[in-house]
């Protein structure tokens, strides 16, 4: 999920960082006082979730939770993920400080898109299977979105990466399923105990 | 609102507890050490997987161009340095991961010709003045000592490299602390704005 320092070219780096900064600025402007605890909790969840790696087949997968975070936070997902990614880079060497903008953009933007696509859907979902199914699609779509963006970043850096871009998409299939199931389950629970989250 | 936040916390803790607790890294790592006259090392994906039959770029400041070598099927590689200077080994995987490892000039055998810049500064190696004559020719002895020391130190260096890449609980807790602190600060600033 993370792109490391020293991989992408300067124009890609500059472009992505500018877009990420714009996202963070919008996110900060839209974060209300009451939303700060939620933002902090989801930032911490993202920070921890992507450190726990589960081996599946030849590779490993980890939760990202960008769909769930995007749905609940909207644009505030940008500052939430920026801080979590910064700490992951400093403390564990995942990604890197110079590529912070790229990684933030690649993970937060699909979350924001999911916010606009699924907010109304989930508000109107009443039955448990419907909520789970929407959550599953939401969680999976957010990961798929991130995978497409990572593939695009690598493609823009070096056009020879086109085969790799395909491989990246394939490699994300298990994560899409795990993340979808986890997001679906989380939303079923949230809808039951705290339905007002979806009405904000 | 606090109630709602509490529920989100509970949901996420429940979700995380469902996962196996094996904390593994998700990146590529590289390790190299001097063994005799060669630099040997290996690339690996922490938590599983070897960096098999893949390119590794070697940068030595005195070389005009970087050299590319390939790892073997077990992820190991071997490089014979021609100059005594810092060597930088770099792996850049196509899926956006990168690792590098620097082998310092000092750890290379003294028998190698020094890098041009260093040649002027450092005098040619001289045998230490001992009261009794050395049991073997200095250069040979030096090499034997280097090899013996390397044999004992390399496993230790590997352990340190492995230890460093482990995700440690106190780092995770520290990270969560930072997040709480930063958002607390944000809440404080916004709260003051709201009041004022």
């Amino acid at each position: 999920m993370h792109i490391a320092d020293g991989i992408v070219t300067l124009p890609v780096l500059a472009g992505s960082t500018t877009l990420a900064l714009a996202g963070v600025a919008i996110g900060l402007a839209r974060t209300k006082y009451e939303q700060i605890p939620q933002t902090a909790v989801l930032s911490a969840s993202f920070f921890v979730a992507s450190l726990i790696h589960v081996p599946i087949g030849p590779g490993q997968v980890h939760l990202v939770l960008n769909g769930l975070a995007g749905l609940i936070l909207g644009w505030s997902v940008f500052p939430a993920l920026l801080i979590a990614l910064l700490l992951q880079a400093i403390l564990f060497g995942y990604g890197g400080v110079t590529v912070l903008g790229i990684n933030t953009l690649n993970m937060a933007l699909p979350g924001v898109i999911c916010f606009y696509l699924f907010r109304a859907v989930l508000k109107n979902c009443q039955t448990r299977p419907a909520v789970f199914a929407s959550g599953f699609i939401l969680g999976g779509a957010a990961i798929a979105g991130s995978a497409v963006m990572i593939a695009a970043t690598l493609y823009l850096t070096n056009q020879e990466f086109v085969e790799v871009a395909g491989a990246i998409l394939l490699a994300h299939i298990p994560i899409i399923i795990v993340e979808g199931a986890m997001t679906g389950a989380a939303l079923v629970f949230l809808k039951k105990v705290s339905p007002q989250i979806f009405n904000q | 609102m606090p109630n709602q936040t509490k529920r989100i916390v509970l949901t996420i803790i429940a979700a995380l507890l469902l996962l196996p607790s094996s904390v593994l890294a998700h990146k590529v790592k590289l390790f190299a050490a001097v063994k005799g006259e060669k630099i040997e090392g290996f690339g690996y994906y922490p938590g599983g997987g070897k960096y098999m039959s893949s390119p590794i770029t070697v940068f030595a400041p005195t070389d005009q161009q970087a050299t590319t070598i390939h790892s073997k099927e077990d992820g190991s590689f071997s490089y014979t340095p021609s100059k005594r200077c810092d060597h930088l080994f770099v792996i850049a995987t196509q899926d956006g991961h990168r690792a590098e490892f620097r082998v310092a000039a000092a750890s290379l055998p003294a028998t190698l010709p020094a890098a041009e810049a260093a040649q002027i500064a450092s005098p040619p190696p001289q045998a230490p003045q001992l009261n009794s004559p050395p049991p073997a020719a200095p250069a040979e002895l030096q090499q034997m000592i280097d090899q013996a020391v390397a044999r004992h130190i390399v496993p230790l260096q590997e352990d340190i490299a492995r230890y460093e890449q482990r995700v440690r609980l106190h780092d995770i807790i520290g990270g969560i602390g930072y997040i709480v602190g930063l958002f607390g600060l944000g809440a404080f600033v916004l709260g003051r704005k709201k009041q004022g």
Side-chain angles (χ1 to χ4, degrees):
Chain A
M1 264 290 143
H2 302 71
I3 286 179
D5 273 334
I7 295 275
V8 293
T9 51
L10 202 60
V12 179
L13 192 72
S16 304
T17 306
T18 312
L19 288 175
L21 280 176
V24 171
I26 298 172
L28 286 176
R30 293 200 180 188
T31 306
K32 290 185 215 114
Y33 180 71
E34 296 76 25
Q35 277 181 314
I36 289 181
Q38 274 183 9
T39 315
V41 165
L42 283 159
S43 177
S45 320
F46 171 88
F47 172 74
V48 176
S50 39
L51 292 177
I52 300 173
H53 296 250
V54 185
I56 288 186
Q60 302 164 11
V61 300
H62 62 83
L63 287 179
V64 182
L65 298 179
N66 59 338
L68 182 66
L71 181 81
I72 295 173
L73 298 179
W75 282 94
S76 306
V77 73
F78 266 94
L81 297 198
L82 176 76
I83 289 171
L85 284 167
L86 173 68
L87 289 167
Q88 285 184 346
I90 295 172
L91 294 175
F92 308 110
Y94 291 156
V97 177
T98 61
V99 284
L100 206 54
I102 293 183
N103 286 327
T104 306
L105 184 72
N106 286 352
M107 293 186 219
L109 190 62
V112 173
I113 295 170
C114 284
F115 172 81
Y116 287 111
L117 290 180
F118 287 89
R119 195 77 181 177
V121 176
L122 272 155
K123 208 166 153 182
N124 299 325
C125 277
Q126 294 309 331
T127 63
R128 238 190 228 200
V131 174
F132 182 83
S134 312
F136 189 93
I137 298 169
L138 160 97
I143 296 290
S146 288
V148 168
M149 289 186 68
I150 290 168
T153 309
L154 293 172
Y155 178 73
L156 286 175
T157 293
N158 183 349
Q159 319 254 309
E160 286 169 22
F161 282 174
V162 67
E163 275 175 38
V164 184
I168 286 176
L169 295 181
L170 275 180
H172 278 83
I173 288 174
I175 315 176
I176 289 173
I177 295 166
V178 173
E179 179 97 1
M182 210 54 110
T183 309
L187 288 182
V188 167
F189 181 69
L190 282 176
K191 186 89 181 172
K192 194 175 154 196
V193 299
S194 188
Q196 69 275 23
I197 283 182
F198 303 99
N199 299 329
Q200 284 165 14
Chain B
M1 187 59 62
N3 216 5
Q4 202 174 312
T5 307
K6 209 160 89 187
R7 281 167 183 165
I8 298 175
V9 176
L10 285 175
T11 310
I12 286 156
I13 289 173
L16 292 178
L17 285 179
L18 289 174
L19 290 169
S21 60
S22 60
V23 177
L24 304 161
H26 217 226
K27 52 184 175 183
V28 68
K29 290 288 284 184
L30 179 61
F31 177 79
V34 180
K35 279 187 187 168
E37 289 184 348
K38 286 181 176 172
I39 298 173
E40 289 180 8
F42 50 88
Y44 61 101
Y45 298 98
K50 297 180 168 88
Y51 185 70
M52 286 185 279
S53 317
S54 307
I56 297 156
T57 316
V58 189
F59 295 94
T62 48
D63 291 347
Q64 292 296 322
Q65 272 190 324
T67 324
T68 303
I69 54 173
H70 281 80
S71 63
K72 293 182 206 132
E73 284 203 348
D74 60 353
S76 70
F77 63 85
S78 164
Y79 176 78
T80 313
S82 56
K83 290 265 168 59
R84 192 162 188 248
C85 59
D86 282 3
H87 284 70
L88 183 69
F89 293 79
V90 178
I91 288 179
T93 65
Q94 294 191 317
D95 59 354
H97 293 113
R98 189 174 189 275
E100 56 177 57
F101 195 95
R102 185 178 292 277
V103 176
S107 62
L108 287 166
T111 47
L112 281 177
E116 273 128 36
Q119 222 163 17
I120 311 152
S122 63
Q126 278 181 341
Q129 295 299 311
L130 298 172
N131 292 338
S132 55
E140 238 172 83
L141 179 66
Q142 189 65 45
Q143 209 177 350
M144 278 162 66
I145 294 172
D146 280 353
Q147 276 175 1
V149 171
R151 201 171 55 234
H152 293 292
I153 281 184
V154 166
L156 206 60
Q157 285 177 314
E158 288 176 16
D159 278 348
I160 292 172
R162 252 194 296 275
Y163 185 70
E164 265 189 348
Q165 59 88 19
R166 259 180 56 198
V167 169
R168 283 184 287 274
L169 189 65
H170 58 79
D171 284 342
I172 297 179
I173 293 167
I176 295 172
Y178 266 105
I179 293 172
V180 171
L182 280 170
F183 280 95
L185 192 69
F188 173 73
V189 171
L190 270 187
R192 281 186 66 121
K193 253 194 212 166
K194 226 179 159 188
Q195 277 182 349

